[in-house]
């Protein structure tokens, strides 16, 4: 069994590569739910949805989130009612069906793990998707604004402020009492390979590792774990990972990523552009593997997956 620790877009592409070369029924993704939010009374799970829609081949290729061929009538009505105050978080008409279904099932008493399996089945995914927890863990971000430091929800930071404000702290509300989702720890214990996907280390993979013993379980399987750097030549391909790393005292480079993942993984795939830093990665205590890491299409994703899955055989 292959277990992937996953955030949003980068993880979804990595998983698409993995299922292109491995049997999907042998793949389990443990997905970050720290980004989850309640919007207009609806429970939104952005990373679960991004992974689901990508594996279904229905992701909007321009945004990397939401559904392809989407329409936006409900949002237009919402903006008109609220004179623009609402509707900054874009929920497409078809996408709304997912959130309505998830929220209704949660209200009926289903767990997030159960609803996620139902949504995955509807889209015909062969891969098993497990939320990191059925308990609420909420990523909160302290940002510096004109009025001083302010703690806000992750989507207020990411979408509402276009992740364009200085971050001084990231906090995971509810983490102390959250348990890992059902089966998550068993899957990690039994995995032949564990992949830390190229997602934001602080707000995507960080919450997964911090939840209910998941980090300890992965560290225990370090020899079987391979990570892929989301940072290439000091920059994140998408999103604020590079700026966040720097702001929170890490080096925004493959070396910074190596230092973060060395306790959890025995190998780190770094891009060819970072080949010159392989020695420093090694010195951080994790074996560097240099390969093309930009997943610009399905072929590149499959090629990267081949490198990642082969790496485990060389490691363990
Ligand atoms: N990202 C945006 O940049 N703008 C949006 O309006 C937006 C809406 C949205 C709706 C549903 C969903 O599942 C995801 C959505 N995302 C949107 C993406 C998402 O909020 C972020 O990319 C992740 O949380 C970061 O991994």
């Amino acid at each position: 069994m292959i277990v992937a620790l996953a955030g949003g877009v980068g993880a979804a592409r990595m998983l698409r590569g993995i299922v292109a070369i491995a049997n999907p029924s042998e793949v389990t993704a443990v997905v970050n739910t720290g980004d989850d939010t309640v919007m207009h009374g609806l429970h939104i799970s952005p990373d679960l949805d991004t992974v689901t829609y990508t594996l279904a081949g229905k992701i909007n290729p321009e945004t990397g989130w939401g559904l392809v061929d989407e329409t936006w009538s409900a949002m237009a009505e919402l903006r008109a009612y609220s004179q623009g105050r609402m509707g900054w978080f874009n929920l497409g008409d078809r996408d709304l069906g997912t959130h309505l279904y998830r929220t209704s099932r949660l209200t009926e008493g289903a767990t997030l793990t159960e609803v996620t399996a139902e949504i995955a089945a509807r889209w015909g995914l062969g891969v098993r998707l497990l939320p990191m927890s059925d308990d609420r863990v909420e990523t909160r971000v302290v940002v510096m604004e004109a009025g001083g430091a302010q703690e806000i929800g992750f989507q207020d930071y990411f979408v509402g402020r276009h992740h364009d404000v200085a971050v001084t702290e990231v906090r995971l509300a509810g983490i102390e009492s959250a348990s890992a989702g059902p089966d998550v720890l068993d899957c990690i214990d039994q995995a032949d390979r564990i992949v830390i996907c190229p997602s934001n280390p602080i707000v995507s993979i960080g919450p997964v590792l911090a939840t209910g013993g998941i980090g300890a379980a992965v560290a225990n399987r370090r020899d079987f774990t391979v990570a892929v750097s989301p940072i290439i030549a000091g920059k994140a391909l998408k999103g604020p990972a590079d700026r966040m790393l720097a702001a929170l005292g890490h080096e925004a480079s493959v070396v910074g990523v190596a230092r973060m993942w060395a306790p959890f993984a025995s190998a780190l795939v770094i891009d060819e552009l970072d080949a010159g830093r392989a020695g420093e990665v090694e010195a951080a205590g994790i074996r560097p593997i240099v390969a093309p890491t930009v997943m610009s299409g399905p072929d590149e994703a499959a090629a990267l997956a081949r490198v990642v899955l082969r790496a485990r055989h060389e490691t363990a």
Side-chain angles (χ1 to χ4, degrees):
M1 195 210 322
I2 300 163
V3 171
L5 308 189
V9 180
R13 291 184 179 163
M14 183 78 261
L15 280 160
R16 194 173 53 184
I18 290 173
V19 298
I21 63 162
N23 186 340
S25 67
E26 300 204 345
V27 180
T28 297
V30 177
V31 183
N32 172 43
T33 55
D35 293 13
D36 287 19
T37 190
V38 174
M39 203 66 73
H40 321 299
L42 299 177
H43 185 118
I44 323 282
S45 295
D47 285 351
L48 282 166
D49 290 341
T50 297
V51 170
T52 301
Y53 295 160
T54 301
L55 290 176
K58 299 292 183 193
I59 195 78
N60 180 328
E62 271 129 51
T63 55
W65 52 267
L67 283 162
V68 70
D69 300 329
E70 188 56 279
T71 55
W72 302 94
S73 302
M75 281 294 105
E77 294 301 326
L78 184 63
R79 285 190 196 108
Y81 278 121
S82 65
Q83 288 157 5
R85 190 169 60 84
M86 299 176 190
W88 57 268
F89 191 77
N90 297 282
L91 299 169
D93 298 333
R94 294 182 64 210
D95 188 33
L96 272 169
T98 304
H99 313 310
L100 286 166
Y101 181 75
R102 177 184 293 116
T103 308
S104 304
R105 292 286 294 123
L106 290 173
T107 308
E108 285 170 5
T111 64
L112 186 60
T113 298
E114 288 164 350
V115 186
T116 299
E118 291 164 10
I119 292 171
R122 185 268 175 184
W123 288 102
L125 304 195
V127 171
R128 187 170 187 213
L129 299 189
L130 294 178
M132 66 186 196
S133 179
D134 280 336
D135 301 321
R136 189 74 191 99
V137 174
E138 198 189 342
T139 302
R140 311 271 309 164
V141 183
V142 180
V143 296
M144 283 309 279
E145 293 190 309
Q150 204 196 155
E151 184 180 302
I152 57 176
F154 181 76
Q155 298 302 339
D156 287 315
Y157 158 74
F158 195 92
V159 178
R161 288 163 175 78
H162 313 285
H163 48 78
D164 198 19
V165 281
V167 172
T168 57
E169 193 187 335
V170 170
R171 196 173 74 78
L172 302 174
I175 195 71
E176 298 81 11
S177 53
S179 305
D183 282 355
V184 167
L185 297 177
D186 284 347
C187 285
I188 291 169
D189 288 346
Q190 286 157 25
D192 302 306
R193 309 122 201 253
I194 299 169
V195 181
I196 299 180
C197 291
S199 300
N200 186 318
I202 294 181
V203 291
S204 297
I205 302 296
V208 178
L209 290 172
T211 298
I214 296 179
V218 174
N220 201 31
R221 306 295 317 284
R222 185 181 181 277
D223 286 351
F224 295 82
T225 305
V226 178
V228 180
S229 175
I231 302 291
I232 301 176
K235 295 268 168 245
L237 279 183
K238 197 171 189 288
D242 47 5
R243 283 171 282 132
M244 261 191 179
L245 282 167
L248 299 178
H250 303 274
E251 190 180 308
S253 74
V254 288
V255 179
V257 175
R259 289 185 190 126
M260 289 182 81
W261 290 166
F264 302 100
S266 50
L268 176 68
V269 182
I270 62 174
D271 194 77
E272 288 169 322
L273 287 178
D274 288 307
R277 306 209 66 185
E280 290 167 89
V281 169
E282 186 99 57
I286 188 164
R287 185 166 65 84
I289 299 170
V290 179
T293 62
V294 180
M295 294 177 280
S296 36
D299 292 346
E300 289 79 5
L304 179 58
R306 242 173 242 117
V307 171
V308 167
L309 298 185
R310 200 174 49 217
R312 156 21 216 146
H313 292 300
E314 293 159 10
T315 305

